[in-house]
Amino acid sequence: MAKFNPFYRLDSQHCTAIFDCQGKTPALLYFGKRLSKYTSDIMLSQLATRQEVKCAAVLEAPISLSPLLGEGFTGAPGIELTNESIAWSLGPTLQRVDETNGNGLVFISLDALRGVEVTHHITLDYNHNVLSASTRLTNLGDAALQVNYCAAPSFPLPDNMNNVVSFEGRWSNEFQRQPVDLFLGAFVRENRKGKTSHDVFPGLLMHNDGAGEQFGECFGFHLGWSGNTKLRAELLPEGRRYVQMGELLLPGELTLVKGQTYQSPTLYTSFSEQGFSALSRNFHGFVKANLLSDEQQRKARPVHYNTWEGIYFDHDIETLKQLADKVAPLGVERFVLDDGWFKGRRGDNAGLGDWVVDKEIYPQGLAPIIAHVNHLGMEFGLWFEPEMVNPDSDLYRAHPDWVLSTQNNEQLSFRNQLVLDLTRTEVVEYLYQAINDILCEYPLIKYIKWDMNRDINHAGNFAGKPAIHQQTLALYRLIDRIKSAHPGLEIESCSSGGARVDYGVLAHTDRVWTSDSNDALDRLEIQRGCSFFFPSSVMGAHVGPRECHITGRNISIEMRAAVSLFGHMGIEMDPRELTDHEYNTLKSAIALHQKYRDFIHSADLYRLDSDGLSINFGLINQDKTAALFAYNSVRETPRTAPNKLRFVGLEADTQYTLNLVWPVIFDEYRPSAIAAVNGQTYTGEALMEFGLQMPISFPQTSLIFSLNKCH
Ligand code: GLA
């Protein structure tokens, strides 16, 4: 007798998910706008009735949570298995459905003939409308089972979802949105870099025609995983469409012997009928409530100083003290000593792996610089790149066999470094001890920047097997172990900028380094792309040097500061080179950030649709009594005057007082519109429907306005 109902329904504040259990295995019948109680699952099931089409199967194979070859599915199977026998044609049957605490369901299916159990775990976060879904496989048979692929649950989509937006990039230009019209067949992106990668962020948006930031129906999908991934949005010939994401497994990477289990990474998805910004707000709320620790949520994010673009490898205790002396009065709250502090590290050609303080540069260890920094009222943070080793290091000389490699193949050279094999327990033990020793010797190190600066091109471990899956899990465990041994320690996930930014790693860390580009113009797009899934509180954003080291561009200190103050703010430059004007401006910007920091990191984000001339957004508190809006002009306007800024998201009837809060001194061409409106009061309606004329300014100018409800 069946131990389950024909349908299961989960509701959140704004979404409903309905699962259909009438078939052999469960399938998603509906995920979208919250349905009223009068709409029943049976209604939807009937309305979805399909009929035989010409020259096709009488009954279409379902797009089940894991659509299968055994079910006759001719799209992409959600699970691909092989063994000596017939595992390839897996055909499980639903056995049981468990309702779990926290608005969740577990569907347990069994293929008794092939000895495989498949379970699907689903949770719908009530407050934030984000559905988390994963698939688990267990080998119950005697023969070893080769797992070629096991995607997270597949999501069929409504037939108005015609548009895909993926996020691509490169070093120093991550999170670039790439729109594509859905076409017959599959839009597929694969990442084989062994880390999340700059080029293929494991996330997608699907939306209806014409959707924008405030209007339209859209779904967001993100696979929380820091290894290899495969993303797919497919339109089948009969018009059905679905999204499927999973870990990309290399040949022979995963074998399950009897009793062993594989759990797919979690797919996070949400729906909005009010455009992309509302979708992002769901994800932001979800991240804050579920992936960040309570402590992290309570603590204000300290303003950073990072030494990298200031001095690179040129470490010297006197220089560092000078830097600290310079940045502390700016309002900096945490001093992060980047690459270059450990044994033999004078450039990027040596030292990785030897995690002991270089006594030539630091004869008394790090204690004097930590004490100096602390004395100035700043916390101290330190850079590591634990997964890597330079061949020119004591570690490599002692253990040349500790690296990932493939037999008889030459390693591609990449920043003079190789990847350690974290599937060897002695390697993980060594790294744990090395990092732990530093943290025990210097308990006032409160922060680690955890970097990862090459692709894993040769993923073979000590056993000769591809090991990205195990390597990624070992990384998560190592981070957790270090954190639990040092309560309160915060860790930033960095990988040559934003090549390891995903919910998988974020569940174990506290902040991400968004990009190595500190160019404010590039950053506007990078941060905007990142903001589709990540809240500003985790997004590292630094004010870089006057002449950007990556692009060579000169952007005013006012604009550089305005762009970084909307993330987790920091500065990264040689502060001794600042002019008085730059120094004072930076100080004011940090003060402004600190004044609004809690607001910036807790308010709701409203990105404005871009006209290509300016990149604008607003932050509004939940009761809509206060807001900050940023206008960033990036190009010269084709007309002599710029466009108006049309505000969004405000309460139409509320009276708001408008003030320009940045820059402190706005160098106007002539007395302009700003003088006329500053300090005046407007209804939300006027600001949203009519808009505010932007002043004549240089093309690269940032203005920040505050709005406060009048009482
Ligand atoms: C990577 C990081 C940088 C810096 C360098 C140090 O490129 O993204 O921020 O830490 O490594 O080598």
Side-chain angles (χ1 to χ4, degrees):
M1 212 174 69
K3 298 189 189 67
F4 51 84
N5 306 327
F7 300 100
Y8 286 85
R9 171 172 171 155
L10 297 174
D11 286 309
S12 68
Q13 223 170 29
H14 301 304
C15 291
T16 294
I18 298 176
F19 297 88
D20 186 344
C21 296
Q22 299 175 108
K24 201 165 164 230
T25 56
L28 182 74
L29 176 62
Y30 174 85
F31 179 53
K33 183 181 172 172
R34 182 168 176 157
L35 301 174
S36 79
K37 61 179 185 207
Y38 305 108
T39 298
S40 71
D41 23 41
I42 295 172
M43 289 177 189
L44 299 195
S45 172
Q46 277 176 5
L47 288 166
T49 306
R50 294 174 72 94
Q51 63 184 114
E52 183 181 353
V53 296
K54 288 175 188 163
C55 193
V58 175
L59 264 183
E60 287 164 334
I63 304 179
S64 57
L65 294 181
S66 294
L68 294 170
L69 291 174
E71 296 173 332
F73 187 62
T74 50
I79 299 173
E80 289 177 51
L81 303 175
T82 50
N83 61 5
E84 301 280 272
S85 181
I86 55 168
W88 70 274
S89 53
L90 181 70
T93 308
L94 183 63
Q95 307 289 308
R96 213 176 76 223
V97 180
D98 294 341
E99 295 178 57
T100 58
N101 287 340
N103 216 20
L105 294 167
V106 182
F107 301 94
I108 301 147
S109 306
L110 177 70
D111 186 332
L113 179 66
R114 294 171 181 79
V116 179
E117 186 185 77
V118 180
T119 57
H120 296 104
H121 296 248
I122 311 280
T123 316
L124 179 57
D125 182 299
Y126 187 86
N127 293 325
H128 307 104
N129 314 296
V130 172
L131 195 145
S132 310
S134 65
T135 307
R136 199 162 72 189
L137 278 179
T138 306
N139 181 10
L140 304 174
D142 291 328
L145 196 62
Q146 190 65 52
V147 181
N148 297 340
Y149 189 51
C150 175
S154 299
F155 274 77
L157 294 171
D159 52 17
N160 62 343
M161 289 297 125
N162 291 325
N163 307 276
V164 186
V165 178
S166 63
F167 296 80
E168 61 179 42
R170 59 160 163 81
W171 173 69
S172 271
N173 203 35
E174 298 84 344
F175 300 106
Q176 304 299 308
R177 279 159 298 143
Q178 185 60 44
V180 179
D181 291 345
L182 190 65
F183 48 84
L184 178 64
F187 171 85
V188 174
R189 277 190 185 267
E190 293 186 346
N191 162 39
R192 295 166 194 268
K193 295 284 173 77
K195 59 187 183 189
T196 321
S197 88
H198 295 103
D199 27 306
V200 181
F201 173 73
L204 286 179
L205 309 176
M206 297 289 302
H207 64 89
N208 66 351
D209 296 342
E213 287 293 350
Q214 328 306 328
F215 305 99
E217 295 177 15
C218 50
F219 291 86
F221 296 93
H222 168 50
L223 192 73
W225 184 241
S226 316
N228 291 336
T229 51
K230 181 149 87 174
L231 324 176
R232 182 181 205 97
E234 180 156 15
L235 174 61
L236 295 168
E238 71 276 6
R240 293 183 302 169
R241 62 209 66 200
Y242 67 99
V243 162
Q244 186 185 80
M245 294 187 182
E247 178 180 9
L248 187 150
L249 295 165
L250 296 173
E253 181 158 7
L254 212 112
T255 304
L256 301 179
V257 298
K258 187 170 187 168
Q260 279 186 332
T261 282
Y262 168 79
Q263 170 105 25
S264 77
T266 302
L267 175 64
Y268 300 91
T269 177
S270 190
F271 168 79
S272 153
E273 52 160 349
Q274 288 165 12
F276 305 130
S277 285
L279 188 68
S280 295
R281 293 195 290 274
N282 287 344
F283 285 116
H284 297 172
F286 177 83
V287 167
K288 289 178 191 167
N290 296 282
L291 302 185
L292 300 182
S293 65
D294 294 345
E295 200 184 342
Q296 188 54 267
Q297 288 181 65
R298 274 194 308 271
K299 185 176 170 186
R301 300 273 178 168
V303 174
H304 280 198
Y305 173 69
N306 183 291
T307 57
W308 181 239
E309 292 207 358
I311 54 162
Y312 294 106
F313 291 107
D314 223 351
H315 287 214
D316 157 82
I317 191 89
E318 279 319 309
T319 306
L320 290 169
K321 285 183 179 170
Q322 281 174 22
L323 298 180
D325 291 342
K326 269 282 189 191
V327 299
L330 285 172
V332 167
E333 296 156 311
R334 181 185 276 153
F335 185 99
V336 181
L337 186 62
D338 209 280
D339 196 357
W341 59 269
F342 47 96
K343 188 160 179 253
R345 188 71 168 173
R346 301 291 184 285
D348 67 10
N349 57 324
L352 287 175
D354 297 344
W355 301 110
V356 289
V357 178
D358 193 306
K359 285 288 159 79
E360 279 180 32
I361 316 175
Y362 298 95
Q364 294 165 276
L366 295 177
I369 183 64
I370 296 177
H372 191 84
V373 161
N374 288 166
H375 178 72
L376 290 164
M378 297 183 285
E379 269 186 21
F380 189 83
L382 194 61
W383 183 94
F384 284 90
E385 194 179 355
E387 296 141 85
M388 298 290 160
V389 64
N390 286 121
D392 187 356
S393 67
D394 294 347
L395 182 69
Y396 187 79
R397 281 184 283 273
H399 302 285
D401 53 331
W402 276 13
V403 299
L404 293 174
S405 63
T406 59
Q407 240 184 329
N408 229 12
N409 293 318
E410 212 174 305
Q411 292 259 10
L412 286 181
S413 119
F414 199 130
R415 213 188 189 214
N416 311 304
Q417 60 195 60
L418 299 169
V419 189
L420 289 169
D421 178 0
L422 300 196
T423 71
R424 290 180 89 120
T425 41
E426 61 272 37
V427 172
V428 174
E429 210 44 44
Y430 166 79
L431 290 174
Y432 175 76
Q433 290 308 339
I435 299 169
N436 189 54
D437 285 352
I438 294 278
L439 295 175
C440 290
E441 186 175 353
Y442 304 110
L444 291 169
I445 295 177
K446 296 291 179 200
Y447 185 86
I448 286 181
K449 177 176 174 185
W450 188 299
D451 214 333
M452 197 283 197
N453 283 321
R454 74 159 286 170
D455 298 340
I456 307 184
N457 304 84
H458 308 274
N461 71 356
F462 67 96
K465 292 286 182 194
I468 301 296
H469 174 72
Q470 290 301 342
Q471 179 89 359
T472 309
L473 293 177
L475 166 78
Y476 292 162
R477 283 194 298 269
L478 178 59
I479 294 176
D480 288 351
R481 192 170 159 205
I482 291 166
K483 281 193 117 188
S484 72
H486 300 276
L489 177 77
E490 290 174 46
I491 298 187
E492 167 177 33
S493 172
C494 172
S495 177
S496 311
R500 192 150 67 194
V501 177
D502 62 81
Y503 287 6
V505 79
L506 191 57
H508 304 271
T509 54
D510 305 278
R511 181 209 209 227
V512 296
W513 183 225
T514 322
S515 176
D516 273 354
S517 176
N518 291 321
D519 177 304
L521 286 189
D522 286 350
R523 271 292 183 139
L524 281 168
E525 279 297 352
I526 295 168
Q527 291 173 197
R528 188 177 172 96
C530 189
S531 78
F532 278 78
F533 294 96
F534 296 87
S536 62
S537 55
V538 303
M539 222 192 274
H542 294 176
V543 182
R546 184 181 312 124
E547 183 172 300
C548 176
H549 291 184
I550 309 271
T551 62
R553 258 197 297 248
N554 275 268
I555 296 171
S556 71
I557 186 71
E558 286 82 358
M559 185 176 208
R560 280 180 280 146
V563 171
S564 69
L565 68 77
F566 284 106
H568 178 178
M569 188 180 189
I571 60 174
E572 185 169 336
M573 58 171 67
D574 187 340
R576 295 168 301 182
E577 292 172 6
L578 292 168
T579 62
D580 287 351
H581 169 73
E582 288 168 334
Y583 192 85
N584 293 332
T585 306
L586 204 46
K587 194 171 177 173
S588 314
I590 291 173
L592 187 71
H593 174 75
Q594 286 160 337
K595 175 175 173 195
Y596 286 105
R597 171 166 48 196
D598 289 348
F599 179 83
I600 290 171
H601 292 159
S602 65
D604 287 338
L605 175 68
Y606 291 77
R607 288 177 302 258
L608 271 60
D609 287 309
S610 177
D611 58 3
L613 304 173
S614 59
I615 297 176
N616 312 323
F617 55 88
L619 293 168
I620 307 178
N621 66 352
Q622 279 79 38
D623 55 9
K624 302 203 179 226
T625 55
L628 285 179
F629 272 79
Y631 164 82
N632 302 285
S633 88
V634 295
R635 282 184 47 209
E636 281 190 274
T637 57
R639 313 283 156 251
T640 46
N643 292 331
K644 283 189 203 161
L645 179 68
R646 296 263 308 259
F647 293 75
V648 299
L650 302 171
E651 209 65 79
D653 298 339
T654 298
Q655 306 269 348
Y656 294 97
T657 306
L658 176 89
N659 277 295
L660 180 72
V661 295
W662 189 260
V664 177
I665 298 165
F666 177 43
D667 222 352
E668 294 176 82
Y669 168 65
R670 292 276 163 88
S672 83
I674 295 296
V677 296
N678 220 9
Q680 303 298 316
T681 295
Y682 304 95
T683 55
E685 181 179 48
L687 295 167
M688 294 190 292
E689 303 306 326
F690 193 72
L692 169 64
Q693 175 62 51
M694 286 296 101
I696 310 284
S697 63
F698 285 134
Q700 288 156 21
T701 296
S702 295
L703 304 177
I704 304 174
F705 298 96
S706 73
L707 295 173
N708 286 293
K709 180 178 176 172
C710 310
H711 295 288

